[in-house]
PDB file of all heavy atoms in Angstrom:
ATOM      1  N   ALA A  69     -30.866  -8.453 -35.444  1.00 44.00           N
ATOM      2  CA  ALA A  69     -31.387  -8.773 -36.736  1.00 44.00           C
ATOM      3  C   ALA A  69     -31.366 -10.235 -37.068  1.00 44.00           C
ATOM      4  O   ALA A  69     -32.180 -10.756 -37.791  1.00 44.00           O
ATOM      5  CB  ALA A  69     -30.601  -7.983 -37.793  1.00 44.00           C
ATOM      6  N   THR A  70     -30.328 -10.956 -36.548  1.00 43.00           N
ATOM      7  CA  THR A  70     -30.071 -12.367 -36.952  1.00 43.00           C
ATOM      8  C   THR A  70     -30.552 -13.387 -36.008  1.00 43.00           C
ATOM      9  O   THR A  70     -30.883 -14.491 -36.357  1.00 43.00           O
ATOM     10  CB  THR A  70     -28.622 -12.549 -37.280  1.00 43.00           C
ATOM     11  OG1 THR A  70     -27.840 -12.311 -36.165  1.00 43.00           O
ATOM     12  CG2 THR A  70     -28.205 -11.595 -38.425  1.00 43.00           C
ATOM     13  N   CYS A  71     -30.465 -13.091 -34.707  1.00 45.00           N
ATOM     14  CA  CYS A  71     -30.724 -14.161 -33.775  1.00 45.00           C
ATOM     15  C   CYS A  71     -32.202 -14.471 -33.644  1.00 45.00           C
ATOM     16  O   CYS A  71     -33.034 -13.566 -33.805  1.00 45.00           O
ATOM     17  CB  CYS A  71     -30.202 -13.828 -32.332  1.00 45.00           C
ATOM     18  SG  CYS A  71     -31.066 -12.447 -31.528  1.00 45.00           S
ATOM     19  N   LYS A  72     -32.501 -15.755 -33.507  1.00 47.00           N
ATOM     20  CA  LYS A  72     -33.917 -16.142 -33.313  1.00 47.00           C
ATOM     21  C   LYS A  72     -34.359 -15.841 -31.951  1.00 47.00           C
ATOM     22  O   LYS A  72     -33.605 -15.807 -30.982  1.00 47.00           O
ATOM     23  CB  LYS A  72     -34.024 -17.644 -33.551  1.00 47.00           C
ATOM     24  CG  LYS A  72     -33.728 -18.102 -34.943  1.00 47.00           C
ATOM     25  CD  LYS A  72     -33.909 -19.578 -35.150  1.00 47.00           C
ATOM     26  CE  LYS A  72     -33.582 -19.999 -36.544  1.00 47.00           C
ATOM     27  NZ  LYS A  72     -33.813 -21.457 -36.771  1.00 47.00           N
ATOM     28  N   ARG A  73     -35.631 -15.547 -31.869  1.00 51.00           N
ATOM     29  CA  ARG A  73     -36.265 -15.213 -30.574  1.00 51.00           C
ATOM     30  C   ARG A  73     -36.231 -16.411 -29.639  1.00 51.00           C
ATOM     31  O   ARG A  73     -36.832 -17.451 -29.971  1.00 51.00           O
ATOM     32  CB  ARG A  73     -37.703 -14.691 -30.757  1.00 51.00           C
ATOM     33  CG  ARG A  73     -38.328 -14.183 -29.522  1.00 51.00           C
ATOM     34  CD  ARG A  73     -39.745 -13.671 -29.751  1.00 51.00           C
ATOM     35  NE  ARG A  73     -40.296 -13.140 -28.528  1.00 51.00           N
ATOM     36  CZ  ARG A  73     -40.153 -11.943 -28.049  1.00 51.00           C
ATOM     37  NH1 ARG A  73     -39.327 -11.129 -28.678  1.00 51.00           N
ATOM     38  NH2 ARG A  73     -40.785 -11.563 -26.919  1.00 51.00           N
ATOM     39  N   GLY A  74     -35.604 -16.305 -28.493  1.00 60.00           N
ATOM     40  CA  GLY A  74     -35.567 -17.406 -27.545  1.00 60.00           C
ATOM     41  C   GLY A  74     -36.567 -17.179 -26.443  1.00 60.00           C
ATOM     42  O   GLY A  74     -37.463 -16.455 -26.526  1.00 60.00           O
ATOM     43  N   ALA A  75     -36.250 -17.959 -25.339  1.00 74.00           N
ATOM     44  CA  ALA A  75     -37.143 -17.826 -24.201  1.00 74.00           C
ATOM     45  C   ALA A  75     -36.994 -16.438 -23.523  1.00 74.00           C
ATOM     46  O   ALA A  75     -35.990 -15.826 -23.609  1.00 74.00           O
ATOM     47  CB  ALA A  75     -36.769 -18.910 -23.164  1.00 74.00           C
ATOM     48  N   ALA A  76     -38.129 -16.043 -22.935  1.00 88.00           N
ATOM     49  CA  ALA A  76     -38.120 -14.716 -22.350  1.00 88.00           C
ATOM     50  C   ALA A  76     -37.204 -14.698 -21.137  1.00 88.00           C
ATOM     51  O   ALA A  76     -37.013 -15.664 -20.444  1.00 88.00           O
ATOM     52  CB  ALA A  76     -39.542 -14.363 -21.837  1.00 88.00           C
ATOM     53  N   TYR A  77     -36.535 -13.524 -20.914  1.00 94.00           N
ATOM     54  CA  TYR A  77     -35.625 -13.365 -19.825  1.00 94.00           C
ATOM     55  C   TYR A  77     -36.387 -13.174 -18.522  1.00 94.00           C
ATOM     56  O   TYR A  77     -37.404 -12.484 -18.464  1.00 94.00           O
ATOM     57  CB  TYR A  77     -34.707 -12.187 -20.056  1.00 94.00           C
ATOM     58  CG  TYR A  77     -33.525 -12.413 -20.959  1.00 94.00           C
ATOM     59  CD1 TYR A  77     -33.716 -12.607 -22.334  1.00 94.00           C
ATOM     60  CD2 TYR A  77     -32.253 -12.553 -20.434  1.00 94.00           C
ATOM     61  CE1 TYR A  77     -32.626 -12.835 -23.184  1.00 94.00           C
ATOM     62  CE2 TYR A  77     -31.154 -12.823 -21.324  1.00 94.00           C
ATOM     63  CZ  TYR A  77     -31.383 -12.972 -22.630  1.00 94.00           C
ATOM     64  OH  TYR A  77     -30.330 -13.200 -23.483  1.00 94.00           O
ATOM     65  N   THR A  78     -35.816 -13.798 -17.481  1.00 93.00           N
ATOM     66  CA  THR A  78     -36.413 -13.619 -16.127  1.00 93.00           C
ATOM     67  C   THR A  78     -35.744 -12.465 -15.440  1.00 93.00           C
ATOM     68  O   THR A  78     -34.745 -11.914 -15.920  1.00 93.00           O
ATOM     69  CB  THR A  78     -36.228 -14.886 -15.337  1.00 93.00           C
ATOM     70  OG1 THR A  78     -34.817 -15.153 -15.102  1.00 93.00           O
ATOM     71  CG2 THR A  78     -36.784 -16.116 -15.985  1.00 93.00           C
ATOM     72  N   ILE A  79     -36.318 -12.032 -14.334  1.00 93.00           N
ATOM     73  CA  ILE A  79     -35.704 -10.921 -13.578  1.00 93.00           C
ATOM     74  C   ILE A  79     -34.284 -11.292 -13.089  1.00 93.00           C
ATOM     75  O   ILE A  79     -33.340 -10.482 -13.173  1.00 93.00           O
ATOM     76  CB  ILE A  79     -36.580 -10.586 -12.361  1.00 93.00           C
ATOM     77  CG1 ILE A  79     -37.893  -9.960 -12.806  1.00 93.00           C
ATOM     78  CG2 ILE A  79     -35.851  -9.624 -11.389  1.00 93.00           C
ATOM     79  CD1 ILE A  79     -38.877  -9.622 -11.700  1.00 93.00           C
ATOM     80  N   LYS A  80     -34.102 -12.527 -12.644  1.00 93.00           N
ATOM     81  CA  LYS A  80     -32.773 -12.903 -12.198  1.00 93.00           C
ATOM     82  C   LYS A  80     -31.729 -12.921 -13.315  1.00 93.00           C
ATOM     83  O   LYS A  80     -30.596 -12.551 -13.157  1.00 93.00           O
ATOM     84  CB  LYS A  80     -32.816 -14.339 -11.553  1.00 93.00           C
ATOM     85  CG  LYS A  80     -33.429 -14.333 -10.173  1.00 93.00           C
ATOM     86  CD  LYS A  80     -33.302 -15.729  -9.565  1.00 93.00           C
ATOM     87  CE  LYS A  80     -33.818 -15.718  -8.124  1.00 93.00           C
ATOM     88  NZ  LYS A  80     -33.634 -17.028  -7.459  1.00 93.00           N
ATOM     89  N   GLU A  81     -32.197 -13.332 -14.516  1.00 94.00           N
ATOM     90  CA  GLU A  81     -31.315 -13.280 -15.728  1.00 94.00           C
ATOM     91  C   GLU A  81     -30.975 -11.840 -16.067  1.00 94.00           C
ATOM     92  O   GLU A  81     -29.739 -11.547 -16.353  1.00 94.00           O
ATOM     93  CB  GLU A  81     -31.989 -13.997 -16.886  1.00 94.00           C
ATOM     94  CG  GLU A  81     -32.023 -15.459 -16.784  1.00 94.00           C
ATOM     95  CD  GLU A  81     -32.743 -16.114 -17.934  1.00 94.00           C
ATOM     96  OE1 GLU A  81     -33.828 -15.583 -18.361  1.00 94.00           O
ATOM     97  OE2 GLU A  81     -32.274 -17.154 -18.446  1.00 94.00           O
ATOM     98  N   ASP A  82     -31.903 -10.944 -16.013  1.00 94.00           N
ATOM     99  CA  ASP A  82     -31.615  -9.542 -16.316  1.00 94.00           C
ATOM    100  C   ASP A  82     -30.645  -8.958 -15.279  1.00 94.00           C
ATOM    101  O   ASP A  82     -29.683  -8.253 -15.641  1.00 94.00           O
ATOM    102  CB  ASP A  82     -32.924  -8.725 -16.278  1.00 94.00           C
ATOM    103  CG  ASP A  82     -33.728  -8.928 -17.524  1.00 94.00           C
ATOM    104  OD1 ASP A  82     -33.217  -9.429 -18.521  1.00 94.00           O
ATOM    105  OD2 ASP A  82     -34.945  -8.609 -17.471  1.00 94.00           O
ATOM    106  N   GLU A  83     -30.835  -9.303 -14.038  1.00 94.00           N
ATOM    107  CA  GLU A  83     -29.971  -8.726 -12.949  1.00 94.00           C
ATOM    108  C   GLU A  83     -28.542  -9.258 -13.134  1.00 94.00           C
ATOM    109  O   GLU A  83     -27.567  -8.477 -13.026  1.00 94.00           O
ATOM    110  CB  GLU A  83     -30.518  -9.136 -11.594  1.00 94.00           C
ATOM    111  CG  GLU A  83     -31.782  -8.428 -11.198  1.00 94.00           C
ATOM    112  CD  GLU A  83     -32.358  -8.832  -9.862  1.00 94.00           C
ATOM    113  OE1 GLU A  83     -31.958  -9.922  -9.395  1.00 94.00           O
ATOM    114  OE2 GLU A  83     -33.207  -8.112  -9.310  1.00 94.00           O
ATOM    115  N   LEU A  84     -28.406 -10.533 -13.399  1.00 93.00           N
ATOM    116  CA  LEU A  84     -27.029 -11.055 -13.591  1.00 93.00           C
ATOM    117  C   LEU A  84     -26.354 -10.559 -14.833  1.00 93.00           C
ATOM    118  O   LEU A  84     -25.151 -10.319 -14.841  1.00 93.00           O
ATOM    119  CB  LEU A  84     -27.092 -12.600 -13.633  1.00 93.00           C
ATOM    120  CG  LEU A  84     -25.765 -13.346 -13.738  1.00 93.00           C
ATOM    121  CD1 LEU A  84     -24.828 -12.879 -12.583  1.00 93.00           C
ATOM    122  CD2 LEU A  84     -25.915 -14.816 -13.723  1.00 93.00           C
ATOM    123  N   LEU A  85     -27.165 -10.273 -15.890  1.00 95.00           N
ATOM    124  CA  LEU A  85     -26.583  -9.686 -17.095  1.00 95.00           C
ATOM    125  C   LEU A  85     -26.055  -8.278 -16.780  1.00 95.00           C
ATOM    126  O   LEU A  85     -24.943  -7.917 -17.219  1.00 95.00           O
ATOM    127  CB  LEU A  85     -27.617  -9.587 -18.163  1.00 95.00           C
ATOM    128  CG  LEU A  85     -27.228  -8.914 -19.482  1.00 95.00           C
ATOM    129  CD1 LEU A  85     -25.994  -9.527 -20.076  1.00 95.00           C
ATOM    130  CD2 LEU A  85     -28.378  -8.967 -20.507  1.00 95.00           C
ATOM    131  N   CYS A  86     -26.776  -7.455 -15.976  1.00 95.00           N
ATOM    132  CA  CYS A  86     -26.338  -6.159 -15.650  1.00 95.00           C
ATOM    133  C   CYS A  86     -25.048  -6.222 -14.831  1.00 95.00           C
ATOM    134  O   CYS A  86     -24.104  -5.462 -14.972  1.00 95.00           O
ATOM    135  CB  CYS A  86     -27.376  -5.424 -14.888  1.00 95.00           C
ATOM    136  SG  CYS A  86     -28.875  -5.038 -15.851  1.00 95.00           S
ATOM    137  N   ILE A  87     -24.975  -7.159 -13.831  1.00 93.00           N
ATOM    138  CA  ILE A  87     -23.827  -7.372 -13.017  1.00 93.00           C
ATOM    139  C   ILE A  87     -22.624  -7.818 -13.880  1.00 93.00           C
ATOM    140  O   ILE A  87     -21.530  -7.288 -13.692  1.00 93.00           O
ATOM    141  CB  ILE A  87     -24.099  -8.454 -11.944  1.00 93.00           C
ATOM    142  CG1 ILE A  87     -25.177  -7.905 -10.932  1.00 93.00           C
ATOM    143  CG2 ILE A  87     -22.848  -8.808 -11.160  1.00 93.00           C
ATOM    144  CD1 ILE A  87     -25.685  -8.951  -9.958  1.00 93.00           C
ATOM    145  N   ALA A  88     -22.823  -8.708 -14.837  1.00 92.00           N
ATOM    146  CA  ALA A  88     -21.734  -9.162 -15.698  1.00 92.00           C
ATOM    147  C   ALA A  88     -21.242  -8.006 -16.524  1.00 92.00           C
ATOM    148  O   ALA A  88     -20.008  -7.850 -16.729  1.00 92.00           O
ATOM    149  CB  ALA A  88     -22.276 -10.306 -16.612  1.00 92.00           C
ATOM    150  N   TRP A  89     -22.151  -7.168 -17.045  1.00 92.00           N
ATOM    151  CA  TRP A  89     -21.701  -6.027 -17.851  1.00 92.00           C
ATOM    152  C   TRP A  89     -20.873  -5.078 -17.008  1.00 92.00           C
ATOM    153  O   TRP A  89     -19.812  -4.603 -17.470  1.00 92.00           O
ATOM    154  CB  TRP A  89     -22.940  -5.324 -18.400  1.00 92.00           C
ATOM    155  CG  TRP A  89     -22.596  -4.090 -19.193  1.00 92.00           C
ATOM    156  CD1 TRP A  89     -22.232  -4.061 -20.539  1.00 92.00           C
ATOM    157  CD2 TRP A  89     -22.559  -2.764 -18.711  1.00 92.00           C
ATOM    158  NE1 TRP A  89     -21.969  -2.777 -20.894  1.00 92.00           N
ATOM    159  CE2 TRP A  89     -22.188  -1.934 -19.797  1.00 92.00           C
ATOM    160  CE3 TRP A  89     -22.837  -2.141 -17.519  1.00 92.00           C
ATOM    161  CZ2 TRP A  89     -22.036  -0.552 -19.713  1.00 92.00           C
ATOM    162  CZ3 TRP A  89     -22.669  -0.770 -17.372  1.00 92.00           C
ATOM    163  CH2 TRP A  89     -22.296   0.029 -18.492  1.00 92.00           C
ATOM    164  N   LEU A  90     -21.297  -4.808 -15.762  1.00 91.00           N
ATOM    165  CA  LEU A  90     -20.519  -3.876 -14.889  1.00 91.00           C
ATOM    166  C   LEU A  90     -19.150  -4.528 -14.567  1.00 91.00           C
ATOM    167  O   LEU A  90     -18.136  -3.816 -14.604  1.00 91.00           O
ATOM    168  CB  LEU A  90     -21.296  -3.608 -13.630  1.00 91.00           C
ATOM    169  CG  LEU A  90     -22.511  -2.698 -13.735  1.00 91.00           C
ATOM    170  CD1 LEU A  90     -23.305  -2.706 -12.396  1.00 91.00           C
ATOM    171  CD2 LEU A  90     -22.112  -1.286 -14.080  1.00 91.00           C
ATOM    172  N   GLU A  91     -19.091  -5.796 -14.302  1.00 89.00           N
ATOM    173  CA  GLU A  91     -17.851  -6.467 -13.889  1.00 89.00           C
ATOM    174  C   GLU A  91     -16.862  -6.409 -15.067  1.00 89.00           C
ATOM    175  O   GLU A  91     -15.646  -6.086 -14.861  1.00 89.00           O
ATOM    176  CB  GLU A  91     -18.106  -7.870 -13.453  1.00 89.00           C
ATOM    177  CG  GLU A  91     -18.762  -8.048 -12.109  1.00 89.00           C
ATOM    178  CD  GLU A  91     -17.873  -7.505 -10.953  1.00 89.00           C
ATOM    179  OE1 GLU A  91     -16.652  -7.697 -11.027  1.00 89.00           O
ATOM    180  OE2 GLU A  91     -18.428  -6.998  -9.955  1.00 89.00           O
ATOM    181  N   VAL A  92     -17.320  -6.766 -16.223  1.00 88.00           N
ATOM    182  CA  VAL A  92     -16.376  -6.777 -17.364  1.00 88.00           C
ATOM    183  C   VAL A  92     -16.014  -5.368 -17.825  1.00 88.00           C
ATOM    184  O   VAL A  92     -14.862  -5.105 -18.137  1.00 88.00           O
ATOM    185  CB  VAL A  92     -17.074  -7.554 -18.566  1.00 88.00           C
ATOM    186  CG1 VAL A  92     -16.225  -7.463 -19.789  1.00 88.00           C
ATOM    187  CG2 VAL A  92     -17.294  -8.996 -18.156  1.00 88.00           C
ATOM    188  N   SER A  93     -16.970  -4.429 -17.774  1.00 85.00           N
ATOM    189  CA  SER A  93     -16.740  -3.089 -18.238  1.00 85.00           C
ATOM    190  C   SER A  93     -15.779  -2.369 -17.311  1.00 85.00           C
ATOM    191  O   SER A  93     -14.963  -1.496 -17.787  1.00 85.00           O
ATOM    192  CB  SER A  93     -17.980  -2.268 -18.379  1.00 85.00           C
ATOM    193  OG  SER A  93     -18.908  -2.845 -19.279  1.00 85.00           O
ATOM    194  N   GLN A  94     -15.825  -2.582 -16.016  1.00 80.00           N
ATOM    195  CA  GLN A  94     -15.056  -1.916 -15.016  1.00 80.00           C
ATOM    196  C   GLN A  94     -13.769  -2.663 -14.554  1.00 80.00           C
ATOM    197  O   GLN A  94     -13.260  -2.430 -13.537  1.00 80.00           O
ATOM    198  CB  GLN A  94     -15.929  -1.529 -13.795  1.00 80.00           C
ATOM    199  CG  GLN A  94     -17.096  -0.696 -14.117  1.00 80.00           C
ATOM    200  CD  GLN A  94     -17.999  -0.409 -13.022  1.00 80.00           C
ATOM    201  OE1 GLN A  94     -18.650   0.593 -12.892  1.00 80.00           O
ATOM    202  NE2 GLN A  94     -18.086  -1.326 -12.067  1.00 80.00           N
ATOM    203  N   ASP A  95     -13.351  -3.594 -15.399  1.00 73.00           N
ATOM    204  CA  ASP A  95     -12.131  -4.439 -15.059  1.00 73.00           C
ATOM    205  C   ASP A  95     -10.908  -3.719 -15.546  1.00 73.00           C
ATOM    206  O   ASP A  95     -10.631  -3.741 -16.698  1.00 73.00           O
ATOM    207  CB  ASP A  95     -12.305  -5.823 -15.708  1.00 73.00           C
ATOM    208  CG  ASP A  95     -11.166  -6.676 -15.326  1.00 73.00           C
ATOM    209  OD1 ASP A  95     -10.294  -6.311 -14.522  1.00 73.00           O
ATOM    210  OD2 ASP A  95     -11.074  -7.860 -15.896  1.00 73.00           O
ATOM    211  N   PRO A  96     -10.103  -3.104 -14.665  1.00 66.00           N
ATOM    212  CA  PRO A  96      -8.903  -2.382 -15.092  1.00 66.00           C
ATOM    213  C   PRO A  96      -7.730  -3.282 -15.376  1.00 66.00           C
ATOM    214  O   PRO A  96      -6.745  -2.922 -15.926  1.00 66.00           O
ATOM    215  CB  PRO A  96      -8.577  -1.503 -13.881  1.00 66.00           C
ATOM    216  CG  PRO A  96      -9.079  -2.276 -12.719  1.00 66.00           C
ATOM    217  CD  PRO A  96     -10.341  -2.955 -13.196  1.00 66.00           C
ATOM    218  N   ILE A  97      -7.846  -4.593 -15.042  1.00 64.00           N
ATOM    219  CA  ILE A  97      -6.711  -5.523 -15.280  1.00 64.00           C
ATOM    220  C   ILE A  97      -6.567  -5.742 -16.796  1.00 64.00           C
ATOM    221  O   ILE A  97      -5.478  -5.780 -17.362  1.00 64.00           O
ATOM    222  CB  ILE A  97      -7.038  -6.850 -14.572  1.00 64.00           C
ATOM    223  CG1 ILE A  97      -6.975  -6.693 -13.029  1.00 64.00           C
ATOM    224  CG2 ILE A  97      -5.987  -7.935 -15.049  1.00 64.00           C
ATOM    225  CD1 ILE A  97      -7.282  -7.917 -12.283  1.00 64.00           C
ATOM    226  N   ARG A  98      -7.740  -5.872 -17.456  1.00 63.00           N
ATOM    227  CA  ARG A  98      -7.737  -6.067 -18.929  1.00 63.00           C
ATOM    228  C   ARG A  98      -7.880  -4.734 -19.660  1.00 63.00           C
ATOM    229  O   ARG A  98      -7.720  -4.713 -20.848  1.00 63.00           O
ATOM    230  CB  ARG A  98      -8.764  -7.080 -19.360  1.00 63.00           C
ATOM    231  CG  ARG A  98      -8.542  -8.475 -18.815  1.00 63.00           C
ATOM    232  CD  ARG A  98      -9.703  -9.366 -19.086  1.00 63.00           C
ATOM    233  NE  ARG A  98      -9.423 -10.741 -18.726  1.00 63.00           N
ATOM    234  CZ  ARG A  98      -9.598 -11.201 -17.421  1.00 63.00           C
ATOM    235  NH1 ARG A  98     -10.042 -10.391 -16.486  1.00 63.00           N
ATOM    236  NH2 ARG A  98      -9.313 -12.463 -17.096  1.00 63.00           N
ATOM    237  N   GLY A  99      -8.254  -3.709 -18.928  1.00 52.00           N
ATOM    238  CA  GLY A  99      -8.325  -2.385 -19.527  1.00 52.00           C
ATOM    239  C   GLY A  99      -9.716  -2.130 -20.230  1.00 52.00           C
ATOM    240  O   GLY A  99     -10.504  -3.060 -20.423  1.00 52.00           O
ATOM    241  N   ALA A 100      -9.925  -0.877 -20.520  1.00 50.00           N
ATOM    242  CA  ALA A 100     -11.160  -0.489 -21.111  1.00 50.00           C
ATOM    243  C   ALA A 100     -11.259  -0.835 -22.582  1.00 50.00           C
ATOM    244  O   ALA A 100     -12.295  -1.006 -23.137  1.00 50.00           O
ATOM    245  CB  ALA A 100     -11.450   0.997 -20.920  1.00 50.00           C
TER     246      ALA A 100
END
Side-chain angles (χ1 to χ4, degrees):
T70 60
C71 67
K72 294 183 179 179
R73 184 177 181 87
Y77 278 74
T78 64
I79 290 178
K80 285 189 175 182
E81 286 177 317
D82 284 344
E83 290 177 342
L84 183 55
L85 176 56
C86 292
I87 293 172
W89 179 83
L90 287 172
E91 288 293 326
V92 173
S93 299
Q94 299 178 149
D95 183 5
I97 294 178
R98 294 173 176 84

